[in-house]
Amino acid sequence: ISLVFYFCSFVFHRFIAKPCALGLKVQANGPQKAQPNAILEKVFTAITKHPDEKRLEGLSKQLDWDVRSIQRWFRQRRNQEKPSTLTKFCESMWRFTFYLYIFTYGVRFLKKTPWLWNTRQCWNGYPYQPLMPDLHYYYIVELSFYWSLMFSQFIDIKRKDFGIMFTHHIVTVTLITFSYVTNLTRVGTLTLCLHDAADVVLEAAKMANYCKCQKLSDLLFLTFAIVFIVSRLGIYPLWILNTTLFELYEALGNFPALWVFNVLLVILQILHCFWSYLIIKAAYKAISKGKVAKDDRSDIESSSDEEETVPRSKTPHSTITTNGTGGANGTNGYLTGGTCSEEH
């Protein structure tokens, strides 16, 4: 089923999301490309994408460029591998569509169940609880989607919190699988639906941002911040953790699966706390500056990134180096020194 999700994602991106993005005039071009340079390209691909100060100084002498220009080249080259705004919009639209569908399905399913209104019903008759077709479908779809997310994370947009997100996906997949195998599916459905609520708003905020609808993006982001914090720092521990840590123990006593399940749920709560810190930090900037600040997990490096931490080359240059060896004549056409403008 995860392979089906990959195929559906491709079809959705190509025939639905992309036409919508172009209709909304989402920018299709990617970040500015670095000027061709054989020596720097070799260092970038074979040695390091983040040269240290010593290597920058050596390249500066070899190429007769100032350090700041070399830094800029490496930053542009790194950003060059990043996806365009159009690609990011399509990815967010796909996730928004899935989260909206599965959240709506979860709400419609759960409102007919007794354990939504009384969490003690999650343990009534356990472990001999029938696996209803609707519940089975809900679990299989969610599990398949998160498996696809875990694998696609290696080829999708790279974020600064890649490790945290990968941990989150592993914990989520393990939780869904473990709760299914041990028939702890009733509380599992509550957990899944609770988590999907904030994700719907987050992806909508991203799409508004890519469409340059700043006011709508700000409003949706602040809404997401409220929904996330209320659901994952309030409802989740008071509703989900309360029933798994206390009501489950009271109803069934002590058994090994209980502790494994609760450890995974607590790890998930720790991740919630980390993300809540980032969200509150961004929301504070949004309120103080009048707009949502740049995402702390941004996948594109800013123009001032790293530049002020490395000194300029001692000798300013105003020549055009063209072969990557520091001579006055050559082939790469890179303009340096006084005539090399800052990119913004």
Side-chain angles (χ1 to χ4, degrees), residues 18 32 36 40 60 80 85 120 209 214 227 231 258 278 283 312 322:
K18 187 174 181 179
Q32 181 181 357
L40 295 181
S60 175
Q80 188 176 316
T85 303
R120 291 185 181 274
N209 181 52
Q214 190 61 50
V227 173
S231 63
L258 180 150
L278 296 180
R312 291 175 176 270
T322 52

Side-chain angles (χ1 to χ4, degrees), residues 16-42:
I16 300 177
K18 187 174 181 179
C20 289
L22 295 176
L24 293 170
K25 298 180 180 180
V26 175
Q27 185 178 359
N29 58 307
Q32 181 181 357
K33 292 186 178 181
Q35 293 288 342
N37 185 287
I39 291 179
L40 295 181
E41 183 67 27
K42 184 176 181 180

Side-chain angles (χ1 to χ4, degrees), residues 21 25 37 75 104-106 127 130 155 173 178 187 190 218-219 229 238-239 243 260-261 276 281 284 294 307 327:
K25 298 180 180 180
N37 185 287
R75 183 179 58 254
T104 304
Y105 179 89
I155 58 176
V173 168
F178 184 81
V187 72
L190 298 179
D218 293 351
L219 177 62
I229 292 170
L238 295 177
W239 193 38
T243 191
V260 175
F261 191 54
S276 295
K281 182 180 176 181
Y284 174 77
K294 184 178 179 182
E307 285 190 351

Side-chain angles (χ1 to χ4, degrees), residues 7 38 43 45 52 58 66 117 162 165-166 170 193-194 201 206 216 226 232-233 248 256 260 307 323-324 328:
F7 177 74
V43 173
T45 56
D52 55 22
D66 61 67
W117 316 106
F162 174 86
M165 283 300 298
F166 187 66
I170 290 178
C193 190
L194 183 65
V201 188
K206 289 181 180 180
L216 178 60
I226 294 171
R232 304 198 188 187
L233 295 188
L248 173 56
V260 175
E307 285 190 351
N323 64 0

